[in-house]
Amino acid sequence: MIGPENNWGEERHLPRNHSCKELVEILEKLFHNLHNLKEIKVSQVQFNLTVNIVAATPPLAESASSGDATFTQGQAGSFTLAQITGGKPPYSVAVDPTSQGQLPSGVSASIDADNNLVLAGTTSDDPETGVAVLLDVTDSDGASVAKVEANVRKVNAPPPGHTEQ
């Protein structure tokens, strides 16, 4: 046993969640203290070290938008806007409070099983020119991706009996 004047005689537990650098510093101090002792009597040495290395989570990001989302009045539609990566799933999406445009009534934004940002629904609104809607994607840790811009257009449904030429 190491002499009591160094206070190493009793069992010591280190706090958890030390960085590798901190653990090296602690071990260096222990070996320095052992080296400076004139007489060392060791009856038993027990040393447990568990190191968990956790990979850093990549930052939350979105792929480039794939164009305009065009919804036909009265018809169901779905449009994949971008793929969301990084961060900590699950993700949520909402219209940004500063967005000048809003999603048409009946159309909502969501994240699908493949982490795609999707606009889907059936709008009954009258058509209007394209509107830019800013969408915020947030991960479960509260990190937000840069605002995703969705260019949403609504068009009139063709008259009954009309066929495309």
Side-chain angles (χ1 to χ4, degrees), residues 35-140:
H35 180 71
N36 288 334
L37 292 174
K38 294 186 178 171
E39 182 180 329
I40 300 174
K41 294 179 185 175
V42 178
S43 60
Q44 179 182 9
V45 174
Q46 180 179 353
F47 189 84
N48 294 322
L49 176 63
T50 303
V51 178
N52 295 322
I53 299 175
V54 179
T57 303
L60 186 62
E62 83 281 350
S63 65
S65 177
S66 53
D68 292 340
T70 302
F71 291 91
T72 302
Q73 180 184 18
Q75 295 179 6
S78 179
F79 180 79
T80 300
L81 185 63
Q83 184 170 42
I84 307 302
T85 58
K88 185 177 177 187
Y91 308 114
S92 61
V93 62
V95 174
D96 186 86
T98 65
S99 179
Q100 292 184 359
Q102 296 296 313
L103 292 173
S105 64
V107 174
S108 62
S110 63
I111 305 293
D112 70 10
D114 295 322
N115 294 329
N116 292 310
L117 174 54
V118 176
L119 301 180
T122 304
T123 183
S124 58
D125 288 351
D126 289 331
E128 61 182 56
T129 58
V131 60
V133 180
L134 295 177
L135 301 168
D136 294 332
V137 177
T138 306
D139 73 3
S140 61

